[in-house]
């Protein structure tokens, strides 16, 4: 049944806001924060357990909380936030109504039911299988059902996003193509469909197997298809995160992509080439050949890597070009020095770009090569890598953009703006320290997902080099600092959303929306962002050093063929 | 402009020189990475094998139990110690929560390892060499190892396999020559006499 949308006019952006859509965005964002809090509490317990000077949790609870942390951080928090983002980008940004609000609430109900059921099963000790739940490890059927419900709700949400786009298109809200931010979200949504379908293909048989209907599931087949969910799911994050980077560059300094065509091609590369990147989770596995591994990691992954490298230039370049157009043209880096560092969205975005590239990106590419994977597979270096991508990259980016979304969507002022300016730094430095020490421990061979590397009850003991003790202290320091930064963000968000002073008008907007600067460049012989160009070359040099180190370490290992 | 559709003519806008150069450099790097992996298969000495067989866990268990006594030289901490001849097959077993047997290998000699589990997934993690491979139930992963150094090495499990996961360790000794092997044989036989 058609319902006439009720709009309010936003005096800050001049956009028409569909109130029903806005309520759905709020609900999903609140659920995201609840999931994030769960993940952060888990993270605190895990840091204090793996740092064996404290060794807080008993073994059983360590593996249980590890499952809880993984599922909430990597799935619930991020997907809830992304659904809120998809709704935002397809309604408010496009000046357009929400296509089917009742279905939107139905989808929200499914995701919340899945969230509650999954967490209940984990905490009641009936799903100590870690996030990956590798068969033949078996959880209670209701655990798998919880995940399926959540994925189903998310899938409905993604289709509502497409519905919103259709409504906006028919109403002529955008011309030939979408705004870049929504375009990036659309890429994320398309990857989400592929991902969630892979998830259904593997979780439905697993549920049937757990119920005893199917007698057996092949362990290698499970891992292959599961990563068809597990890896592209992170690519949804990457795509959504990059879309938010472009949005943040626009809001904070008025930056616009220096070349829309290149930025869009890069998003297209994500859609086309990311799916088989799941292959790099099977590089040291039997059942698949080297030809399969090399082809599927490089053909698919490197074109996706290329996409990220393109954005790595394009996003900072958009900031640099806007700053230069404002007159900050002295030297290579005046544009960066004179950037609005006091704006937490800006600092969060820049820190996320650096962290994602230098920590997550470099390790990701090198660890994802067939042979170097031998010396890192399942070591602590792997979670070290994705602390760089998913936490320092995606999570910090999402945190940063909330400082605009709270006033714009929740119509509240930010409580504790001084602390908010500090928060991205605290979280970023904490996670960076945590990730780098984990990568270092991984080099020493310390396993991930392990309760006792003192091996006190094992038949044979192993001691790691003494430098590991120092790295564990840094690990704990970084972990605790990141937890504090995360709790600070949650505190600011909750205080602002529920108790913050209501926004009365445009003058209450706590962070300015920069006026866009049109940066025309017509000749191809010009540099639009020389500072960024130099920074990307520094990145490349760092990459080559780490590349060389890892292959040297590999060459020192036993021979194997 | 990320919040509005792009301006007229966006598709034809020429790419700036720096962006064009960066995309070119990035593409070349990606292609080099691809060629590098293939090159390492030809020139490098550490490559995962492409050999694996389907095998029922019970059948693998039989192979393992038939093989252990053939070259057993003793026992350490309740785990059999096996010294397979160079060039022969090694049937390493991953089981909740132990690696069996303890191996005595000779430096510079190649051994055909079979890695398989009889229950859950396990992670074969050889330390401090830091080489890691997955071990599956239902699959025999064939890897030909050639130890390049002598010493005592730990095999730990780095794939979660239940509550005893962290207690799952094993051991590999690598000796220089036959004389050293004889010393180890006497050491492990001693407690049983």
């Amino acid at each position: 049944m058609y319902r006439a949308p009720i709009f309010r006019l936003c005096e800050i952006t001049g956009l028409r806001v569909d109130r029903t859509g806005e309520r759905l965005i709020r609900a999903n964002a609140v659920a995201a924060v609840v999931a994030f809090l769960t993940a952060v509490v888990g993270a605190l317990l895990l840091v204090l357990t793996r740092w064996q000077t404290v060794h807080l949790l008993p073994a059983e609870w360590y593996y249980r909380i590890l499952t809880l942390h993984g599922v909430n951080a990597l799935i619930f928090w991020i997907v809830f936030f992304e659904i809120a983002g998809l709704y935002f980008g397809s309604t408010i940004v496009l000046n357009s109504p929400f296509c089917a609000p009742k279905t939107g609430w139905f989808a929200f109900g499914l995701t919340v039911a899945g969230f509650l059921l999954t967490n209940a099963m984990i905490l009641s000790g009936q799903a100590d299988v870690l996030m990956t739940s590798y068969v033949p490890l078996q959880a209670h059927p209701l655990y798998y059902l919880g995940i399926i419900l959540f994925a189903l709700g998310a899938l409905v949400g993604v289709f509502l996003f497409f519905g919103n786009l259709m409504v906006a298109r028919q109403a002529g809200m955008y011309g030939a193509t979408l705004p870049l931010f929504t375009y990036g979200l659309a890429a994320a949504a398309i990857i989400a469909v592929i991902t969630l379908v892979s998830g259904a293909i593997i979780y439905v048989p697993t549920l049937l197997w757990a119920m005893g209907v199917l007698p057996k599931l092949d362990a290698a087949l499970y891992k292959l298809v599961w990563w068809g969910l597990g890896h592209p799911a992170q690519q949804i994050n990457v795509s959504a995160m990059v879309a938010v980077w472009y949005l943040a560059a626009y809001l904070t300094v008025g930056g616009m992509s220096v070349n829309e065509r290149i930025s869009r091609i890069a998003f297209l590369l994500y859609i086309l080439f990311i799916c088989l990147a799941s292959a790099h989770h099977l590089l040291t596995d039997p059942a698949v050949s080297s030809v399969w591994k090399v082809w599927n990691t490089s053909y698919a992954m490197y074109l996706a890597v290329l996409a990220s490298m393109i954005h790595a230039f394009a996003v900072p370049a958009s900031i640099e070009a806007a700053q230069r157009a404002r007159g900050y043209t002295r030297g290579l880096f005046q544009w960066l020095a004179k950037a609005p560092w006091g704006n937490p969205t800006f600092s969060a975005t820049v820190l996320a770009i650096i962290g994602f590239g230098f920590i997550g990106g470099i390790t990701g590419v090198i660890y994802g090569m067939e042979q170097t994977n031998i010396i890192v597979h399942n070591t602590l270096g792997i979670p070290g890598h994705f602390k760089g991508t998913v936490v320092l990259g995606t999570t910090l980016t999402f945190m940063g953009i909330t400082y605009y979304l709270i006033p714009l969507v929740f119509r509240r002022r930010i409580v504790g703006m001084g602390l908010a300016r500090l928060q991205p730094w605290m979280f970023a430095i904490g996670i960076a320290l945590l990730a780098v020490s984990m990568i270092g421990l991984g080099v020493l061979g310390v396993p991930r997902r392990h309760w006792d590397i003192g091996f006190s009850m094992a038949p044979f003991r192993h001691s790691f080099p003494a430098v590991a003790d120092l790295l564990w202290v840094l690990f704990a320091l970084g972990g605790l600092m990141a937890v504090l930064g995360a709790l600070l963000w949650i505190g600011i968000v909750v205080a602002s959303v529920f108790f913050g002073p209501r926004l009365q008008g445009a003058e209450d907007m706590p962070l300015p929306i920069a006026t866009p600067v049109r940066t025309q460049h017509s000749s191809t012989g010009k540099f639009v962002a020389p500072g960024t160009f130099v920074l990307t070359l520094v990145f490349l040099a760092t990459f080559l050093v780490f590349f060389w180190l890892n292959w040297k370490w590999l060459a020192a290992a036993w021979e194997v063929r | 402009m990320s919040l509005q559709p792009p301006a007229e003519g966006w598709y034809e806008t020429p790419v700036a020189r720096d962006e064009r150069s960066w995309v070119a450099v990035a593409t070349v790097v990606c292609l080099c990475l691809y060629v590098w992996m293939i090159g390492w298969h030809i020139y490098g000495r550490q490559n995962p094998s492409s050999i694996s067989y389907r095998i029922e866990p019970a059948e693998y268990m039989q192979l393992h139990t038939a093989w252990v006594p053939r070259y057993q030289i003793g026992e350490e901490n309740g785990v059999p110690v096996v010294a397979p001849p160079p060039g022969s097959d090694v049937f390493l077993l991953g089981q909740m929560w132990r690696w069996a047997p303890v191996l005595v290998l000779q430096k510079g000699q190649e051994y055909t390892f079979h890695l398989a589990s009889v229950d859950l997934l396990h992670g074969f993690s050889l330390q401090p060499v830091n080489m890691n491979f997955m071990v599956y139930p239902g699959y025999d992963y064939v890897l030909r190892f050639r130890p390049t150094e002598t010493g005592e090495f730990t095999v730990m499990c780095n794939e979660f396999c239940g509550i005893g996961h962290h207690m799952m360790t094993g051991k590999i000794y690598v000796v220089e020559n036959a004389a050293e092997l004889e010393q180890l044989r006497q050491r492990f036989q001693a407690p049983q006499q």
Side-chain angles (χ1 to χ4, degrees):
Chain A
M1 197 179 70
Y2 179 72
R3 169 201 61 96
I6 305 155
F7 287 106
R8 68 171 173 81
L9 189 72
C10 179
E11 66 280 39
I12 302 161
T13 56
L15 292 166
R16 291 189 310 157
V17 178
D18 177 0
R19 295 207 152 166
T20 330
E22 192 179 45
R23 276 197 286 275
L24 276 164
I25 297 169
R26 289 179 184 179
N28 279 288
V30 168
V33 175
V34 174
F36 185 61
L37 178 62
T38 315
V40 172
V41 172
L44 177 63
L45 297 172
L46 295 176
V47 166
L48 292 178
T49 305
R50 285 229 63 173
W51 182 33
Q52 289 193 213
T53 310
V54 178
H55 218 203
L56 183 66
L57 298 175
E60 187 186 26
W61 274 96
Y62 166 75
Y63 294 119
R64 193 164 296 158
I65 297 299
L66 191 54
T67 312
L68 184 85
H69 172 71
V71 170
N72 280 280
L74 276 169
I75 302 179
F76 296 147
W77 140 247
I78 283 179
V79 173
F80 271 128
F81 197 94
E82 277 162 358
I83 291 176
L86 287 179
Y87 292 169
F88 174 76
S90 62
T91 59
I92 297 181
V93 170
L94 298 180
N95 246 326
S96 181
F98 196 91
C99 64
K102 277 187 185 157
T103 319
W105 287 111
F106 171 69
F108 182 66
L110 278 180
T111 45
V112 170
F115 165 75
L116 294 174
L117 184 58
T118 307
N119 279 329
M121 295 318 290
I122 294 171
L123 285 172
S124 63
Q126 296 179 81
D128 294 339
V129 291
L130 305 193
M131 190 189 81
T132 43
S133 59
Y134 288 143
V135 163
L137 214 52
Q138 196 178 60
H140 192 282
L142 288 179
Y143 168 80
Y144 304 110
L145 184 68
I147 302 272
I148 291 170
L149 287 178
F150 183 84
L152 195 63
L155 195 60
V156 174
V158 171
F159 279 108
L160 287 171
F161 167 80
F162 293 129
N164 289 343
L165 291 190
M166 277 172 63
V167 169
R169 187 170 183 84
Q170 276 172 355
M173 290 322 216
Y174 60 97
T177 184
L178 290 166
L180 188 57
F181 170 61
T182 312
Y183 189 91
L185 290 181
I190 292 167
I191 301 168
V193 174
I194 303 167
T195 304
L196 293 167
V197 168
S198 297
I201 292 174
I202 199 60
Y203 271 103
V204 171
T206 309
L207 170 66
L208 293 175
W209 167 71
M211 289 164 64
V213 179
L214 281 180
K216 193 177 170 235
L217 266 185
D218 185 273
L221 182 74
Y222 175 91
K223 199 174 170 214
L224 172 72
V225 185
W226 193 88
W227 280 110
L229 162 78
H231 200 89
Q234 308 319 316
Q235 245 57 51
I236 308 172
N237 302 341
V238 172
S239 199
M241 169 188 80
V242 175
V244 174
W245 285 352
Y246 282 111
L247 175 66
Y250 177 71
L251 291 174
T252 56
V253 298
M256 293 177 278
S257 167
V258 289
N259 194 302
E260 288 258 356
R261 179 163 47 111
I262 296 293
S263 296
R264 281 159 200 260
I265 288 173
F267 278 119
L268 198 64
L269 286 175
Y270 278 149
I271 302 174
L272 292 177
F273 296 108
I274 210 58
C275 310
L276 291 171
S278 61
H280 68 234
H281 291 267
L282 310 173
L283 292 175
T284 57
D285 285 26
V288 280
S289 73
S290 284
V291 174
W292 186 91
K293 290 168 184 174
V294 170
W295 174 250
N296 284 322
T297 48
S298 52
Y299 137 86
M301 195 174 111
Y302 297 157
L303 285 176
V305 167
L306 179 63
S308 287
M309 301 235 271
I310 292 174
H311 291 305
F313 177 87
V315 177
S318 76
I319 296 170
E320 179 172 354
Q323 287 284 85
R324 283 184 183 275
R326 280 221 177 72
Y328 300 118
T329 51
R330 194 156 44 79
L332 278 174
F333 298 113
Q334 194 199 19
W335 62 276
L336 196 56
K338 298 283 183 189
W341 290 102
N343 180 334
T345 307
F346 181 83
S347 57
T349 304
V350 172
L351 292 170
I353 294 172
I354 296 171
F356 182 85
F358 280 83
I359 297 178
I362 288 176
T363 54
V365 173
I366 294 166
Y367 293 177
M369 296 182 82
E370 192 202 9
Q371 295 94 344
T372 29
N373 191 255
I374 296 173
I375 58 168
V376 289
H377 178 71
N378 272 351
T379 67
L380 209 50
I382 299 298
H385 147 71
F386 66 75
K387 292 282 177 287
T389 55
V390 185
V391 191
L392 198 40
T394 309
T395 296
L396 182 57
T397 301
F398 288 178
M399 284 174 164
I401 202 69
T402 50
Y403 295 119
Y404 275 91
L405 296 183
I406 289 171
L408 290 177
V409 176
F410 287 89
R411 312 282 301 158
R412 302 277 190 164
R413 298 182 65 173
I414 303 285
V415 175
M417 201 53 178
L419 287 173
R421 292 183 214 285
L422 192 72
Q423 185 272 328
W425 292 94
M426 213 167 136
F427 188 71
I429 294 170
I431 288 290
L433 198 55
L434 178 77
V436 169
S437 36
M438 287 170 97
I439 289 165
L441 288 163
V443 171
L444 302 177
V446 175
R448 67 187 288 200
R449 297 173 156 185
H450 202 282
W451 180 69
D452 178 22
I453 58 157
F455 305 101
S456 52
M457 287 174 292
F460 303 99
R461 300 226 182 147
H462 177 79
S463 25
F464 293 98
V467 64
D469 297 334
L470 172 69
L471 288 170
W472 280 116
V473 173
L474 296 177
F475 165 95
L477 266 177
L480 294 176
M481 190 169 167
V483 165
L484 280 180
L487 291 175
L488 183 58
W489 178 78
I490 294 171
I492 292 169
V493 166
V494 170
S496 307
V497 165
F498 294 102
F499 312 106
R502 284 184 192 278
L503 212 66
Q504 302 300 339
E507 67 283 358
D508 277 354
M509 185 68 190
L511 295 169
I513 294 181
T515 35
V517 200
R518 193 152 283 287
T519 48
Q520 285 293 355
H521 66 278
S522 44
S523 93
T524 49
K526 237 181 68 187
F527 274 52
V528 282
T532 302
F533 190 62
V534 169
L535 292 177
T536 50
L537 292 180
V538 170
F539 168 79
L540 192 64
T542 316
F543 172 83
L544 291 176
V545 168
F546 201 61
F547 180 90
W548 180 78
L549 273 176
N550 273 277
W551 285 90
K552 203 169 125 52
W553 288 327
L554 175 71
W558 290 8
E559 292 174 17
V560 65
R561 62 192 178 101
Chain B
M1 192 180 304
S2 56
L3 277 179
Q4 279 93 38
E8 200 64 34
W10 64 274
Y11 197 79
E12 282 76 29
T13 309
V15 185
R17 195 171 171 186
D18 42 3
E19 184 161 40
R20 203 153 32 99
S21 316
W22 173 247
V23 174
V25 168
T27 310
V28 169
V29 168
C30 290
L31 287 174
C32 288
L33 295 180
Y34 175 61
V35 175
W36 185 279
M37 284 195 289
I38 298 169
W40 197 266
H41 269 281
I42 301 164
Y43 301 108
R45 294 179 180 275
Q46 293 82 15
N47 288 289
S49 88
S50 293
I51 312 166
S52 55
Y53 301 102
R54 274 184 193 277
I55 186 164
E56 283 303 313
E59 200 184 339
Y60 188 80
M61 194 59 160
Q62 278 176 4
L63 280 175
H64 168 80
T65 38
W67 168 77
V68 168
R70 209 177 305 160
Y71 305 116
Q72 185 171 358
I73 59 165
E75 213 176 88
E76 186 183 13
N77 298 345
V79 185
V81 180
V82 172
S88 71
D89 289 286
V90 171
F91 292 91
L92 193 71
L93 174 74
Q95 193 178 17
M96 294 155 80
W97 292 289
R98 65 190 195 109
W99 292 106
V102 170
L103 293 168
V104 181
L105 308 177
Q106 289 182 45
K107 184 185 159 186
Q109 303 288 341
E110 190 174 85
Y111 298 85
T112 304
F113 272 59
H114 298 258
L115 299 178
S117 155
V118 288
D119 37 52
L120 302 174
L121 264 66
H122 298 288
F124 171 85
S125 179
L126 179 69
Q127 297 300 344
V129 192
N130 201 10
M131 297 182 92
N132 308 278
F133 291 95
M134 288 296 295
V135 180
Y136 277 76
Y139 290 89
D140 171 4
Y141 198 1
V142 183
L143 291 161
R144 287 154 295 177
F145 279 102
R146 187 193 301 273
T148 52
E149 57 197 322
T150 57
E152 293 183 20
F153 301 89
T154 311
V155 178
M156 52 183 74
C157 179
N158 67 5
E159 185 59 77
F160 174 66
C161 55
I163 188 68
H165 166 52
H166 46 269
M167 296 183 276
M168 183 167 167
T169 57
K171 193 149 208 178
I172 296 180
Y173 293 90
V174 179
V175 294
E176 186 73 51
N177 48 37
E180 278 189 28
L181 178 64
E182 200 49 44
Q183 285 174 4
L184 276 183
R185 190 192 299 277
Q186 282 167 10
R187 174 173 148 197
F188 292 123
Q189 268 173 350
Q192 291 172 330
Q193 285 166 351

